[in-house]
Amino acid sequence: MTKSRPSSGPTMHDVAAAAGVSQATVSLVLNSASGSRFSDETRKRVMDAVQQLGYRTNAHAKTLRDGISGIIGFLGDAVATAPFAGKIIEGAQERAWEDGLLLLTMNTGGDKALEAASLDSMLSYKVAGVVYAGMYHRRLDVPKALSTVPSVVLNSQDRKLRLPSVAPNEELGGYTATRRLLDAGHERVAMINIETLESELPAAVGRYNGYTKAMTEAGLSVRPELVRFGSGNELDGFTHTMDLMTDDNPPSAIFCANDRTAWGAYQAATELHLSIPRDVSIIGFDNQETLAPHLRPGLTTLELPFVEMGRRAVDLILQGAEPDGRVEFMTCPLIERNSVTHPKEKP
């Protein structure tokens, strides 16, 4: 007795019959072919038939025909562990999906051998492009293999300025944070940075430059005793705030260059029986969702635009991602909560 072959599902011919159009029309509609002009009614009939029949395109056949797959690779050094990784992936995946593409995500944990193997695997799938993501803003040595496919560096920069990059505008963010405190009436504004400037970490250098620019524009000196350099952790925020606020002439406001530092500053204020923002206003940077909204009072901070950056990286790949080395900086919006007020006003 001969076994019947399992059904392979509805075909493009079935979709064409259900929609009352030619098979060529179905193909052009599904592939969004440029230059193809159909009425909205025709497109709707085709898509309704696809939905009703549960038709799926043959991705393997498309790869053979076009030389590329309907996949964009996403290669990151800490995709599975970084607190902001989900936002970056969300933006990239959402944008890819809008054009009918899938996002193939690989986490390397910073292992160069695993990175090389992951990238080789992606390229073997004939991906349409690769997003090469750093989970914090820095300058990266980019694998040479990325030059063979449209590629974009995300949340970091290509050290050799070959591939296009999408990164947060750190300097504008530092300027915006400091300007917010100045506009509230503060003049003695301190800053606790996340690294020393010698590290050349773009976030540390950019946020500090934004701070100095805002202070200078306001006609105020950048006083060395009001600037501290930590490691971006809670303990440094606590230690430096204790030191600043027990000085004979303490600041009335502190710009903490990340939210973890701000968290330490909050703890120091509690230790010293100081009220935020009545006795000292505090502003952070990152808008870390597990932290900033849950401090009491809620922390006013700058948000890293991860979703928007992820979307933009895929946008550039869809446009061909010319290897011109340009860096596209994206604005970090100010998130207002309740940690900033006028130095002489009660909240």
Side-chain angles (χ1 to χ4, degrees), residues 47-63:
M47 298 312 295
D48 285 347
V50 167
Q51 186 75 21
Q52 290 165 9
L53 295 173
Y55 172 75
R56 290 181 175 84
T57 58
N58 188 329
H60 179 63
K62 178 177 172 57
T63 302

Side-chain angles (χ1 to χ4, degrees), residues 244 246-250:
L244 286 164
T246 54
D247 187 79
D248 290 341
N249 189 13

